[in-house]
């Protein structure tokens, strides 16, 4: 593996080391590699345009202090052509995790995720997508 030198402020380096230790990484290099892959992956989304995708969208919110749950159901019905499945779980005493399985084009999924992110009082929104044609090719190889 090639060694790369990177300049960064001492405070960022300390945070990076703490993160690696707290999350079970073997070291800062592993964290930087994963962060690099994630960042590059975000910009490779253009390769996903005009392709059929399947994906997962996860949302965490406090149900006691927000109307996020009601908004999640509105969005689910508003995008019923995109959302193929929806799971609602309680997490601890005050939180809910909403899981949406989606199937569609990148622009549709991005619009849906954007509306979720715009919902007040969501604590976390994350999503991932997989091209259906890649999935089908992998299944044929197996």
């Amino acid at each position: 593996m090639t060694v790369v030198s990177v300049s960064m402020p001492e405070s960022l380096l300390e945070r990076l080391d703490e993160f690696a230790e707290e999350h079970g990484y073997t070291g800062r290099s592993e964290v930087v590699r994963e962060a690099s892959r994630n960042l590059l992956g975000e910009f490779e989304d253009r390769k996903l345009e005009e392709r059929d995708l399947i994906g997962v969208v996860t949302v965490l919110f406090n149900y006691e202090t927000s109307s996020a749950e009601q908004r999640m159901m509105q969005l689910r019905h508003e995008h019923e052509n995109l959302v193929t499945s929806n799971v609602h779980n309680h997490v601890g005493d005050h939180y809910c995790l909403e899981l949406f399985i989606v199937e569609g084009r990148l622009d549709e999924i991005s619009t849906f995720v954007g509306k979720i992110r715009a919902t007040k009082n969501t604590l976390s929104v994350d999503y991932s997508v997989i091209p259906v044609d890649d999935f089908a090719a992998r299944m044929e190889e197996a």
Side-chain angles (χ1 to χ4, degrees), residues 10-138:
E10 187 67 32
S11 60
L12 181 57
L13 185 60
E14 289 172 7
R15 288 177 57 204
L16 190 65
D17 289 339
E18 288 172 9
F19 182 88
E21 186 176 326
E22 289 173 5
H23 292 89
Y25 288 89
T26 58
R28 64 176 70 136
S29 291
E30 187 179 0
V31 174
V32 171
R33 279 192 299 273
E34 183 173 333
S36 297
R37 280 190 218 92
N38 289 338
L39 180 63
L40 292 171
E42 285 182 32
F43 287 95
E44 290 174 349
D45 279 352
R46 284 180 239 117
K47 294 179 182 177
L48 299 176
E49 291 175 358
E50 305 305 319
R51 293 173 75 181
D52 292 325
L53 306 170
I54 56 173
V56 177
V57 182
T58 57
V59 186
L60 182 68
F61 57 89
N62 184 329
Y63 72 86
E64 291 185 329
T65 60
S66 75
S67 59
E69 184 173 6
Q70 181 180 354
R71 180 66 176 144
M72 293 304 113
M73 288 305 97
Q74 287 174 336
L75 289 171
R76 188 211 191 295
H77 290 288
E78 195 176 299
H79 295 271
E80 63 185 13
N81 61 325
L82 181 71
V83 177
T84 61
S85 183
N86 175 230
V87 177
H88 177 89
N89 285 307
H90 294 198
V91 180
D93 293 333
H94 308 286
Y95 303 98
C96 291
L97 178 76
E98 207 70 40
L99 176 77
F100 296 96
I101 308 299
V102 294
E103 190 171 341
R105 299 291 179 133
L106 183 61
D107 60 331
E108 299 168 319
I109 295 171
S110 295
T111 297
F112 179 68
V113 171
K115 289 179 180 180
I116 290 174
R117 285 189 170 146
T119 301
K120 287 185 177 182
N121 300 317
T122 55
L123 301 173
S124 174
V125 179
D126 193 26
Y127 77 102
S128 63
V129 295
I130 302 168
V132 174
D133 53 357
D134 281 357
F135 182 70
R138 288 181 195 169

